[in-house]
Amino acid sequence: MKTIESIFKINEFRDADIMACSGLNEEHGKNFGAVSAPLVKTSLFVQHDYQTYCDDMQHEAERYIYSRGLNPTTELLEKKLAALERGEACKAFASGMGAISAILFALLKNGDHVIIVNNVYGPTVTLIKQMHERFNIEYDILISGNPDDIKEKIKPNTRMIYTESPGTMTMRLVDLSKISAIAKQNNIITVIDNTWATPLFQKPIALGFDIVIHSCTKYIGGHSDLTAGAVIGSNKYINEIRDFSHQLLGAVLAPDSAWLVIRGLRTLPIRMKQHQENVIQVLNYLKSRDDIENICHPLMGSEEQLSLLATQMYGVSGLFSFELKHGSFEKVRTFIDACKIFKPGCSWGGYESLIISPNRGYNEKAIVQDGMAPGLIRVSVGQEAPEILINDLNNAFNTINEI
């Protein structure tokens, strides 16, 4: 495996990112000198008089009236996330799916066409399929991220290209610069779920993408004690999302959770560095095993994938998958149950290490159709000592080899 230093270019965003995560750009003076931003725990704000109220209602997006619209704690988080992603604006939501739903409902209309590129989060695909049945939204799923394949799928009514990179489960990268260039030539909106990389390790807007999504439940929150989502982009798109599917649909982020996400941002650079260091050691262990068919992590990709990694990313996170040789549900279940440190859990990005598989015993045909092997196992490497994690995996391999 190549070293991180031999793959990644210098991160020209680093200093500004550290400032955005920290409290260096916050106005402590207006908060009585509090180093930690106050939690403004209120549902509404009263005005001095009725004329002020009437005036404020005409500027609802910029003034504090009702926390379903604007709240000081949530507003601070939105400014920080916009700065991290180099976007003009951000809106925060009660979950990652709240953010995803807001984009789709705000920017798509009856008869529009969406191209889904790469392996994308399952509930996102499920939602788009339901929008097809209920609202006549057309879609194509393109597992390949090949730019020529994308061009062939474009129709006169193509409104959006939606992707993840790295992709869910398979962790395959797609060329974001080429995809954004194709989209701009055809007046198509580009959307990416950037949760895997975080704003520290990938900047899709700098690569030409219009809209970035985060499930802040994962790495950004970092402590497995909240659910939150965010959408970042230009004022044009964020205003449209805010007016239609933020306030009106109501899946807004409560200030309590916004405060916790801000807390998570304080340590995001340190935590992501540790996730990266841990996963490199775990990958080095796994690549030495001959009972694994394939390891799905950007660092373990082909030369083409490594080149793409070096071009558009600044680091790697701890989520990856691998395929057991001659995999089956029974083998997968035995392996997962043999782990004591890695616990079965559907989320990821916290301090704890987790393990699951898309193979649930009743859906092998479906996952194979989606390009995944029956023996695929996904792990999220947490903050524990890597030698403990390696020993846990080693015991699990010994267990299945005894079958």
Side-chain angles (χ1 to χ4, degrees):
M1 186 191 302
K2 292 186 178 180
T3 64
I4 288 291
E5 290 77 11
S6 69
I7 292 176
F8 297 115
K9 60 186 177 181
I10 295 173
N11 187 350
E12 65 267 32
F13 298 108
R14 182 182 179 277
D15 290 345
D17 285 348
I18 296 297
M19 180 170 288
C21 288
S22 72
L24 295 177
N25 60 346
E26 295 171 17
E27 299 177 50
H28 296 114
K30 72 176 185 179
N31 295 324
F32 312 102
V35 69
S36 179
L39 167 55
V40 182
K41 193 178 174 69
T42 186
S43 60
L44 78 156
F45 303 83
V46 295
Q47 280 66 38
H48 294 297
D49 52 49
Y50 188 62
Q51 185 60 57
T52 302
Y53 172 82
C54 294
D55 294 342
D56 284 352
M57 289 300 291
Q58 290 186 300
H59 302 277
E60 195 172 3
E62 297 85 28
R63 298 181 186 177
Y64 304 129
I65 300 171
Y66 189 53
S67 281
R68 182 163 56 85
L70 200 62
N71 174 281
T73 307
T74 308
E75 182 185 31
L76 175 60
L77 171 63
E78 291 171 344
K79 288 180 177 179
K80 284 179 168 294
L81 292 175
L84 280 168
E85 280 290 6
R86 303 307 184 266
E88 292 178 346
C90 167
K91 293 311 295 181
F93 293 83
S95 69
M97 276 308 299
I100 292 165
S101 302
I103 291 172
L104 299 179
F105 278 98
L107 302 181
L108 298 177
K109 65 181 184 303
N110 184 289
D112 281 345
H113 174 242
V114 181
I115 303 174
I116 303 169
V117 177
N118 212 356
N119 288 91
V120 168
Y121 182 50
T124 302
V125 178
T126 299
L127 177 59
I128 291 173
K129 288 180 177 179
Q130 291 191 10
M131 293 178 74
H132 168 68
E133 295 173 2
R134 294 168 179 253
F135 311 125
N136 193 33
I137 301 297
E138 300 177 20
Y139 69 92
D140 278 300
I141 298 175
L142 186 62
I143 299 299
S144 162
N146 187 299
D148 292 332
D149 294 339
I150 295 173
K151 289 178 183 178
E152 289 182 4
K153 293 292 184 181
I154 293 175
K155 304 177 181 180
N157 61 332
T158 301
R159 170 71 168 161
M160 180 182 292
I161 296 175
Y162 186 107
T163 190
E164 290 184 26
S165 183
T168 293
M169 291 296 180
T170 62
M171 314 302 161
R172 185 187 304 111
L173 303 181
V174 295
D175 193 320
L176 301 183
S177 294
K178 288 184 178 179
I179 291 174
S180 65
I182 292 169
K184 283 180 169 55
Q185 291 168 4
N186 293 275
N187 196 30
I188 297 170
I189 300 169
T190 45
V191 180
I192 180 172
D193 186 331
N194 197 35
T195 304
W196 189 97
T198 80
L200 299 184
F201 289 164
Q202 187 165 253
K203 305 284 188 187
I205 292 174
L207 298 170
F209 262 64
D210 296 311
I211 297 171
V212 175
I213 301 166
H214 283 283
S215 171
C216 302
T217 311
K218 310 297 194 297
Y219 286 124
I220 290 177
H223 294 76
S224 300
D225 56 4
L226 62 92
T227 58
V231 178
I232 303 103
S234 66
N235 286 320
K236 171 187 173 183
Y237 290 123
I238 299 303
N239 289 346
E240 195 169 349
I241 291 165
R242 179 201 66 214
D243 292 343
F244 179 78
S245 53
H246 184 257
Q247 287 192 245
L248 290 183
L249 295 187
V252 301
L253 184 64
D256 307 65
S257 293
W259 190 89
L260 288 174
V261 179
I262 293 170
R263 178 208 59 184
L265 284 176
R266 307 296 195 200
T267 59
L268 182 64
I270 298 170
R271 289 186 290 105
M272 293 313 298
K273 181 175 183 292
Q274 192 62 53
H275 282 299
Q276 179 173 262
E277 291 176 357
N278 284 0
V279 80
I280 289 172
Q281 294 195 48
V282 172
L283 290 173
N284 277 326
Y285 159 73
L286 290 175
K287 73 176 184 177
S288 68
R289 299 201 63 96
D290 58 9
D291 39 11
I292 293 179
E293 192 72 36
N294 187 30
I295 302 175
C296 304
H297 187 280
L299 284 175
M300 303 300 293
S302 64
E303 286 298 321
E304 181 181 0
Q305 286 276 291
L306 287 172
S307 176
L308 193 56
L309 179 63
T311 301
Q312 66 186 31
M313 297 188 73
Y314 303 96
V316 295
S317 72
L319 186 72
F320 71 97
S321 59
F322 59 88
E323 300 169 14
L324 299 174
K325 279 187 177 178
H326 313 298
S328 65
F329 175 70
E330 290 301 322
K331 201 169 187 178
V332 164
R333 184 176 64 180
T334 301
F335 186 95
I336 291 174
D337 287 346
C339 291
K340 303 306 178 187
I341 306 300
F342 287 92
K343 298 294 177 59
C346 64
S347 190
W348 46 273
Y351 54 85
E352 73 286 356
S353 291
L354 300 170
I355 184 167
I356 60 166
S357 170
N359 189 346
R360 296 169 188 172
Y362 52 80
N363 63 339
E364 283 196 14
K365 184 177 180 181
I367 66 172
V368 170
Q369 287 178 341
D370 288 340
M372 294 178 281
L376 190 70
I377 291 175
R378 189 189 77 181
V379 297
S380 174
V381 173
Q383 298 288 316
E384 303 93 343
E387 57 269 22
I388 295 175
L389 300 178
I390 290 169
N391 184 61
D392 196 41
L393 293 172
N394 192 62
N395 290 336
F397 281 113
N398 291 337
T399 300
I400 61 170
N401 289 335
E402 293 171 359
I403 298 176

